[in-house]
Structure formats: structure tokens, C-alpha cells
Amino acid sequence: MELNIVNIVSLVIILICAADIKLMSSPKTALVGNRIGALSMLAAILFVLIYNDIITIPLLLVSLIIGAFIGILFTYKTGGVKIPQLVALFNGFGGGASLIVSFILLLEQGSNIDTFARFTAFSGAIVGGLTFSGSLIAAGKLEGIINQKPVTIKAHSMITSLLLIILLAIMIFGTVIDDYIVTFASGATVLSLLFGVIFAIRIGGADMPITISLLNSCSGLAASVCGFAVGDIILISLGAIVGASGLILTQIMCKAMNRSLWHILTGSTYRKVIDSSTETIVEIKSDGAKKEVHNYLEIVNKAKNIIIVPGYGMALSQAQEQVKLLFDYLIGKGKDVRFAIHPVAGRMPGHMNVLLAEVDIPYEYLCDIDTINPEFASTDVVIVVGACDVINPEAITAQGTPIYGMPILRVHEAKHVIVCNKDTKPGYSGVENSLYNKSNVTLLLGNAADTLAELISQLQNDLQSDTVLQD
Amino acid sequence: MNNSIMILIFIISTVAGYKLIKDVPSLLHTPLMSGMNAFSGITVVGAILTTASAAALHSKILGAIAIILAMINVVGGFYITDRMLGKFKSGLKDK
């Protein structure tokens, strides 16, 4: 590679971005890292405008400003709860841009560019297209505009495979045949958009973290492939990094849910199990082993160490504020409090951490699964807020169930567990939670925000009456 | 640019990115994802180049749409990541 100004500047920008990602690995430096990333991106945009002497083209400037303005507006108006859908939406826009860039390239100079560039332009259109429509569907599902349950159509898997084969064929024929490039490009666009829809519509709620990670990876790949087509190394490099990042998150999410990527892609969901179990409302049997614990208030007030386990139910009932109040109360009483965060709790990777950070819970108290799991056995009380599958002990014992082998938070090892869930229905996996039947478990059913508020006031009363008695 | 060099850059970036991102703790997975999401909007550079060199009017219009979409991705992505990271506070000074 010759050392001209373009390549040198590109390499410097890439290295700065790499340093920025390095800074993202600690909460202390991540904010600075992100800002450096934003600045280097601005530098990349300005450089391309100035170097090519196109900064004076009004169309470019106006489009850039409009885009930036809409980006700020979208984010400004959105609260923390809607972050998953916003990330999905932005992701889709990035994919859409890659699709259009590839499409224009094929349209304008399809027969002039070399085979390699043409091949990458087709790939860019296809990956960009499926990222665009897939992300929009995902965002729609998260927002609740589209049915959040997995939607399957007739012969879903067959249609998916068929589309994939046709897309591959278009990619190959479009590259080698010099005529009909516009037809091929249009076909690739329409079919890849369709593929994204059909792929994403089948994904259910709890599979969302995996889907979003995967689509994130795709948007990076689309940008990278686009970079091949236009011959720009910043695009290639940064796109590849994003692709790798999304892939790592996808891997982590798959492992944490005990599902293979293949199962997600081919759409073998938990749905069948869910269908059968939601129809019959599960009754928690008070057999001999299950004694109602009435003194749980006393247990909490006397506990030395407490772990709080949040799940998607906390996000649904908007109970973060109450969790924070509970946290303050417990910390105020001198207790050792920590949060146990399962990797797939919520609708995107690390969702719970963001929600808890938003209500000013310091990040030192947020522990990941590997750190916290050895601690449960020596913990006095665990308070579960809207989590089910990630604490289900059946994952260790019940062979043959969908969650068998899935890493769980070992809540059942604690001396006492208080569960603030909506009901005792199984979670997304459809597997009943045997934890609820244990004798040292107190169930406080209902909307988590309400039950937690109640719990806090009861705890305060209990403590007061206790001190009155002692006096 | 030489195709093999581009492929080389792609491979190096993937491997380096993989190594860099493996170190990010699960605590920061959401900001990481949205920050990376913002980076994927780098495709705006490609959009600028193709729009500038586009001849036909419909290509220019499409190109302008691509720039707008990518810019929403970049600006929105970095902004929301910034806001999120701003909320991650250490509690050590309170103790």
C-alpha cells in the first residue's frame, strides 16, 4: 500500500478508534472513549469532504445536517426505557445507508467496476438490506407496534432457505453477467428486505438480545463490504470491528441462553412449550414441603447481606425507582447489598445495568453472573424482581427441558428468597420454576413496582414495631 | 486500491476488534453495542463519496437519503451512548 495522505489519515483515524474501544472496557474511561470515537468519526467525515474538495456541494452538507439533527432529536426525546428499540432503529438506518450506497454504485458504474468491487457491492446491498428491514421489525417488536410473540408463516424455514439461495444466486450471476445489472441490483434489494422481515418476525421477546447483537454485527459487516466496493479502508476496518463486536455479543448471549445460533437462525423457538403451558395456569401447590413464611420482614431486617436479582419484569413494570428506594433503605440499615445481573436479563445485552445506572445505583454494586454465583450460598436474603428463567433451578436438574444446561443465578442456594414477580407462570422458556415451591421462598405476586413499594413500607413498619417492643 | 490489501485490512481489523472487545465487561455491554452501532454509521463516508460522484438525479436523491440515514445512525448512536455512560457512576466516593 502506498503511503499517500489518504491512507495515512485513514490509518490514524482507525488507530484512534481502536484506542477508543480499548477505553470502552472500563466504566471510568468509557465516556471519554465514546467522545473520542465521535470526534474521530467527525474527522473522518470532514477529511473526506475536504480532501475530495466536495465540501461545497450543498446537497451533501444539507443531508449531513438534516441527518445529524434528526439523530439528536430522536435521542433527545427518548427515555432510558426505550433504549433497546432506539438502538435497533439506528442500527437499521446504518444498514439502510449501506444498502443504498451499494445500490447507487451498481446503478451508476455497475458495468465499469471490476468483478471484485461488483461482488462486494452486491454483498453490501444484500447484508445492508436485511439489516435494515430486520432491525426495523426488531424495533417495532420492542416498541410493541408489532406482535412481540414469534410470528411464523406457512413453511417459514423453507421460504427462508429459498430466499437465501436466490440471494446467493443473484450475487453470483450479478457479478459475472455484465447485462441486467440494474435488474439484479433491484432483485437483491427487494429480496434482502423481504429476508430481513421474514427472519426477524419469527424472533420472540427473550431472544431479542441475540437478535439485536446479530443485527448489530450485520450492520458492521454491511459497512465493511460497502467499504470494499468504494475502496475506502476506514469503512472496511471500522465495519469489520463492529462486525466482530456484534459477533462476540451474539456468542455471549447464545451461551447465556443455552441456545445455538443455528437454532435462532432456523427459528426453532421455545414456542411450542409456551403454548401448552400458558393455557393452564400453574398452581403452586402447598404440599408438605411448602410452609408459608410470615416472618420474611424480620428476616430481611435482620439480614446482613442481601442480593437483588432484577429481570425483564422490572423493566416492564418500571420498578427501577422502587428498587433504588429498597436499595437505599437496605444500605441505610448498614447491610451489604449487591445486584446479580444475568447476561440475558432484559431485551438487549447489559439491559439491566443501564436501567439500574439510570436510577443512580453505583456500578460497583452491579455484579455479573460469574462474580456473584459463589456468593449466594452465604447470602441471607435474595430479592428477585421480575426474573424467572434465569433463576430457575430446573436448568441444573431437569434434563430435556429447553433451559437444561443454561447458566443460572444460583438463587436457590441462599438462606431465604423473596420473589416479587407478577405471577408464578413460567417464563419465556415455558419451564415451570421449581424455586417457587421451596420452603424458604416467599412469593409477593403482582406488579413489581407496587409489591416493592409495599415491601419497603412494611419493612419500615416492622422495624418500628420491633423497636417499640424492645422499649 | 489493491483488493488483497483490502482483504488483509478486513482480517486484521476483525481479529483486533475481537481481541479488544472481548475485554469489555458485561456491565458495559449496552453502551458497547450502541457505541459500535454508531461506528457502523461510518458508511456515511461511502455515502458521501458515491453521492458526490453520482451523475443521475435519482442517484443523487438516493445518495442524500443514504447520508441522512447514516448520519442519524452516527449522531444518534454516539449521543445515546454518551447519555448512557453518563449515568454509570461510581459509588466509592459516597462511602
Side-chain angles (χ1 to χ4, degrees), chain A residues 83 87 354 357, chain B residues 30-31 34 79-88:
Chain A
I83 287 176
V87 170
V354 176
Chain B
T30 300
S34 78
Y79 182 23
I80 199 165
T81 311
D82 193 72
R83 224 174 61 179
M84 248 189 278
L85 287 170
K87 304 275 184 181
F88 279 87

Side-chain angles (χ1 to χ4, degrees), chain A residues 67-91:
Chain A
F69 183 73
I70 299 176
I72 290 171
L73 205 68
F74 261 134
T75 314
Y76 186 75
K77 290 182 94 177
T78 308
V81 196
K82 295 198 166 188
I83 287 176
Q85 44 267 56
L86 200 62
V87 170
L89 191 69
F90 289 159
N91 199 50

Side-chain angles (χ1 to χ4, degrees), chain A residues 273-340:
Chain A
V273 197
I274 291 176
D275 281 350
S276 59
S277 56
T278 41
E279 282 158 19
T280 52
I281 293 166
V282 187
E283 261 183 72
I284 298 298
K285 281 166 267 164
S286 310
D287 53 356
K290 174 82 180 166
K291 282 182 297 179
E292 281 302 318
V293 185
H294 294 296
N295 60 341
Y296 64 91
L297 297 171
E298 196 186 329
I299 293 176
V300 176
N301 274 328
K302 286 196 171 145
K304 282 198 182 66
N305 41 43
I306 295 175
I307 296 177
I308 303 175
V309 180
Y312 185 57
M314 180 186 81
L316 273 183
S317 64
Q318 289 298 298
Q320 304 89 289
E321 295 285 347
Q322 270 68 33
V323 169
K324 163 73 170 162
L325 291 176
L326 180 66
F327 171 79
D328 287 343
Y329 172 78
L330 296 172
I331 287 284
K333 293 279 171 282
K335 299 180 197 312
D336 180 14
V337 186
R338 275 170 300 173
F339 289 86

Side-chain angles (χ1 to χ4, degrees), chain A residues 4-332:
Chain A
N4 58 27
I5 176 96
V6 181
N7 290 335
I8 292 169
V9 172
S10 302
L11 282 176
V12 169
I13 288 173
I14 292 166
L15 286 175
I16 294 174
C17 289
D20 148 54
I21 297 165
K22 185 78 195 152
L23 290 174
M24 287 291 269
S25 58
S26 158
K28 289 190 194 82
T29 53
L31 190 62
V32 180
N34 184 56
R35 288 182 181 165
I36 294 175
L39 285 178
S40 52
M41 191 80 101
L42 179 69
I45 294 170
L46 286 178
F47 177 71
V48 82
L49 285 173
I50 294 166
Y51 179 79
N52 294 295
D53 202 19
I54 48 178
I55 196 159
T56 48
I57 299 179
L59 181 68
L60 300 181
L61 278 181
V62 170
S63 315
L64 284 168
I65 291 166
I66 292 177
F69 183 73
I70 299 176
I72 290 171
L73 205 68
F74 261 134
T75 314
Y76 186 75
K77 290 182 94 177
T78 308
V81 196
K82 295 198 166 188
I83 287 176
Q85 44 267 56
L86 200 62
V87 170
L89 191 69
F90 289 159
N91 199 50
F93 287 171
S98 296
L99 161 70
I100 297 175
V101 171
S102 307
F103 186 76
I104 299 174
L105 212 69
L106 290 169
L107 210 64
E108 290 262 320
Q109 0 176 341
S111 41
N112 302 328
I113 49 178
D114 65 22
T115 323
F116 184 75
R118 210 193 300 170
F119 175 75
T120 49
F122 271 110
S123 317
I126 291 169
V127 182
L130 67 91
T131 307
F132 178 67
S133 57
S135 300
L136 290 192
I137 296 284
K141 281 192 174 231
L142 288 164
E143 179 69 29
I145 304 169
I146 302 170
N147 189 352
Q148 305 200 11
K149 290 217 176 90
V151 178
T152 39
I153 49 174
K154 240 180 167 181
H156 209 129
S157 299
M158 215 178 76
I159 294 173
T160 319
S161 318
L162 197 68
L163 272 175
L164 211 57
I165 293 167
I166 299 174
L167 282 170
L168 281 173
I170 290 179
M171 203 157 79
I172 294 164
F173 287 118
T175 307
V176 292
I177 300 171
D178 272 339
D179 304 317
Y180 312 117
I181 283 190
V182 177
T183 317
F184 278 125
S186 310
T189 305
V190 173
L191 291 179
S192 66
L193 289 173
L194 188 64
F195 181 83
V197 173
I198 290 185
F199 162 72
I201 201 97
R202 191 164 54 175
I203 309 280
D207 281 329
M208 243 349 145
I210 302 179
T211 317
I212 291 193
S213 310
L214 191 65
L215 288 168
N216 189 27
S217 182
C218 284
S219 75
L221 187 65
S224 190
V225 176
C226 218
F228 279 109
V230 294
D232 187 298
I233 60 173
I234 299 185
L235 253 75
I236 298 175
S237 179
L238 289 187
I241 293 174
V242 178
S245 149
L247 216 54
I248 292 174
L249 287 178
T250 311
Q251 263 182 355
I252 296 172
M253 295 302 116
C254 281
K255 217 176 113 206
M257 279 194 86
N258 194 32
R259 313 201 55 189
S260 74
L261 186 55
W262 181 247
H263 281 132
I264 309 288
L265 291 176
T266 54
S268 57
T269 57
Y270 293 145
R271 212 168 65 95
K272 279 179 195 145
V273 197
I274 291 176
D275 281 350
S276 59
S277 56
T278 41
E279 282 158 19
T280 52
I281 293 166
V282 187
E283 261 183 72
I284 298 298
K285 281 166 267 164
S286 310
D287 53 356
K290 174 82 180 166
K291 282 182 297 179
E292 281 302 318
V293 185
H294 294 296
N295 60 341
Y296 64 91
L297 297 171
E298 196 186 329
I299 293 176
V300 176
N301 274 328
K302 286 196 171 145
K304 282 198 182 66
N305 41 43
I306 295 175
I307 296 177
I308 303 175
V309 180
Y312 185 57
M314 180 186 81
L316 273 183
S317 64
Q318 289 298 298
Q320 304 89 289
E321 295 285 347
Q322 270 68 33
V323 169
K324 163 73 170 162
L325 291 176
L326 180 66
F327 171 79
D328 287 343
Y329 172 78
L330 296 172
I331 287 284

